[in-house]
Amino acid sequence: QQGRLFQAQARDLLERMRDLRRRVRNRSALVMAFVGPLALAVVFSTLVGGASGGTFELGVVDLDRSHVTTALVDSLVAGPTDGGGQLRFVRVHDEAGARSSVEDEDLGAALVLPVGFAAAATSGQRTGITVLRDPDRAVSGQVAESVASTIASGYERVGLSVAVLAALGDGPPSE
């Protein structure tokens, strides 16, 4: 039975070699191996444009207006201290203004910190950040979603740690 399997594999290999020889002769293999992928790369780079080299400008709305969210927004707007970074945050005073700026393409997307964000975050409850995004600017929307998820999960972890300490009787550290 092994002999039959070997013969079938040998026939398959010979057929593939004949097919490869035919393709090289009519140059279709060259197109499939080199020209096709190169053409696709040019098309995709044209579609995506300079998305990897640009700066994403995201709005931040603080509806909670607590000391926690004010400090968060201030640090986001201040930007990185090393002078680099491709994210730039802009303070927006209300959700309607942020929505308008996103629709007018003045901002790539906007993050809205809801009322009660700080209370939920410091008590170990789930926190959520609303992301306003333009469907035509998918990359900016995905960047904003990632930033919102990172911020919310970071605050949830801290709040959970504080809640565990309080449950163990150690309580949160005094300010």
Side-chain angles (χ1 to χ4, degrees), residues 116-165:
F117 179 84
T122 56
S123 65
Q125 298 174 1
R126 289 193 54 80
T127 56
I129 298 174
T130 303
V131 176
L132 306 176
R133 56 192 295 179
D134 181 352
D136 294 334
R137 298 177 79 184
V139 175
S140 294
Q142 290 171 345
V143 168
E145 290 283 348
S146 177
V147 169
S149 174
T150 301
I151 291 171
S153 65
Y155 275 98
E156 287 172 14
R157 282 193 304 270
V158 170
L160 184 59
S161 299
V162 169
V164 167
L165 285 174

Side-chain angles (χ1 to χ4, degrees), residues 12-100:
D12 187 46
L13 180 62
L14 286 173
E15 182 61 34
R16 289 177 191 264
M17 288 176 61
R18 280 189 215 120
D19 186 47
L20 180 61
R21 206 173 306 133
R22 278 188 220 118
R23 286 183 186 264
V24 169
R25 285 184 187 149
N26 72 10
R27 294 187 177 87
S28 66
L30 295 174
V31 171
M32 288 177 57
F34 300 108
V35 178
L38 183 61
L40 286 174
V42 169
V43 168
F44 285 129
S45 70
T46 302
L47 289 174
V48 173
S52 63
T55 299
F56 297 101
E57 193 167 72
L58 306 177
V60 184
V61 181
D62 181 6
L63 297 180
D64 193 31
R65 290 184 172 70
S66 66
H67 69 281
V68 171
T69 57
T70 300
L72 171 62
V73 172
D74 288 347
S75 68
L76 289 174
V77 170
T81 57
D82 63 358
Q86 295 181 325
L87 278 177
R88 183 169 168 259
F89 293 92
V90 177
R91 186 184 319 268
V92 183
H93 296 287
D94 60 11
E95 189 172 347
R99 192 174 303 281
S100 174

